[in-house]
Amino acid sequence: YIEPDVYIYKVENGYEIIMNDDGLPKLRLSRFYQQTLKGKNVSREAKSFIKERFRSAIELLKSVDQRMQTIYRVCSVIVTRQKGFLDHGLMHLKPMLIKDVAEELKVHSSTISRVVANKYAHTPQGVIELRNFFTSGVESADGENVSVVRVKEKIRRIIENENSTKPLSDQKIARLLNFDGIQITRRTVAKYRDQIHIPGSHERKSAVVF
């Protein structure tokens, strides 16, 4: 069971992003130590130690808040760039690279990579790992980039609809995708097919029960 870190809801004028902080520990500075700093019977060394710990605690609070803000900003970019996916599903997912989002938000790519790691969003299309929104593209006939995820889904659907007694070869699948405007080679089809855990045509034919 996955508890989403972010909820993306469709509203009348677009989408609303809500951070899920339920169940997260509430970090706060201890009043006991705040009062201790004011005490007259506390040594200078103890006060110095407590002040140092307070500075560290404040930096931690700032860091946590900054990370939440960065996640929110990343989700705002996702809503803007991936509206097609949010509206219609996987076949409308667009290529989106971490470095491009990092440039837009004016942060380092490693920052984006860290904040999306193991983070999930609840969307109209289900619960999606944030990292899955970042994918490279394959060039189409009109020069537009098509998401690799979308190409893999097309390969899956082609195979699902094939004649099970005459499974399509990777070359024939590549040709069908070429007719559909997606420039792809047989070797790339084989690679994507392996990545979505679909066996080759020979294995699929051998698996058919007559």
Side-chain angles (χ1 to χ4, degrees):
Y1 179 77
I2 295 174
E3 180 71 23
D5 303 276
V6 186
Y7 286 86
I8 301 176
Y9 293 111
K10 187 171 180 59
V11 294
E12 185 177 354
N13 298 322
Y15 286 91
E16 181 180 8
I17 302 168
I18 299 177
M19 302 300 297
N20 179 19
D21 57 3
D22 291 343
L24 291 178
K26 304 299 181 183
L27 301 178
R28 57 185 182 273
L29 298 175
S30 170
R31 290 185 179 179
F32 171 78
Y33 289 107
Q34 288 175 330
Q35 293 299 323
T36 301
L37 283 176
K38 299 177 183 179
K40 296 181 179 180
N41 299 323
V42 182
S43 68
R44 181 180 300 175
E45 291 77 8
K47 286 187 177 183
S48 176
F49 176 80
I50 294 173
K51 285 181 180 179
E52 180 60 33
R53 299 282 73 77
F54 262 113
R55 280 194 288 268
S56 297
I58 290 171
E59 286 300 317
L60 175 61
L61 291 174
K62 288 181 179 179
S63 177
V64 171
D65 183 63
Q66 186 176 35
R67 174 162 290 202
M68 294 293 283
Q69 289 182 26
T70 303
I71 294 174
Y72 184 91
R73 294 173 67 203
V74 169
C75 289
S76 296
V77 174
I78 289 173
V79 166
T80 300
R81 296 193 178 197
Q82 302 291 0
K83 188 175 182 298
F85 165 79
L86 296 172
D87 286 342
H88 305 293
L90 192 62
M91 294 298 288
H92 297 269
L93 188 68
K94 293 182 178 180
M96 188 172 72
L97 301 179
I98 284 180
K99 69 178 183 66
D100 295 333
V101 175
E103 289 176 2
E104 181 172 339
L105 298 182
K106 294 181 173 55
V107 298
H108 197 275
S109 294
S110 61
T111 300
I112 303 296
S113 184
R114 283 196 304 270
V115 299
V116 302
N118 301 314
K119 295 291 187 297
Y120 292 81
H122 180 279
T123 77
Q125 303 301 329
V127 177
I128 310 294
E129 187 175 5
L130 290 182
R131 188 175 290 277
N132 289 341
F133 283 105
F134 297 93
T135 175
S136 57
V138 174
E139 187 174 357
S140 64
D142 57 7
E144 181 184 0
N145 273 350
V146 179
S147 167
V148 168
V149 173
R150 181 178 172 185
V151 175
K152 289 179 180 179
E153 183 64 17
K154 281 182 173 287
I155 292 172
R156 186 194 303 278
R157 293 186 181 187
I158 289 172
I159 293 175
E160 285 177 350
N161 293 314
E162 70 184 0
N163 183 341
S164 59
T165 62
K166 296 180 180 179
L168 297 170
S169 67
D170 294 334
Q171 183 62 53
K172 289 182 178 178
I173 294 173
R175 194 173 301 141
L176 289 173
L177 290 171
N178 290 162
F179 288 151
D180 198 27
I182 297 174
Q183 306 303 310
I184 193 170
T185 65
R186 178 202 62 78
R187 182 175 298 180
T188 304
V189 168
K191 181 178 74 172
Y192 290 169
R193 176 179 52 70
D194 287 340
Q195 289 176 353
I196 58 178
H197 309 295
I198 294 178
S201 57
H202 179 73
E203 289 84 357
R204 297 201 303 277
K205 184 175 183 179
S206 300
V208 175
V209 178
F210 296 93

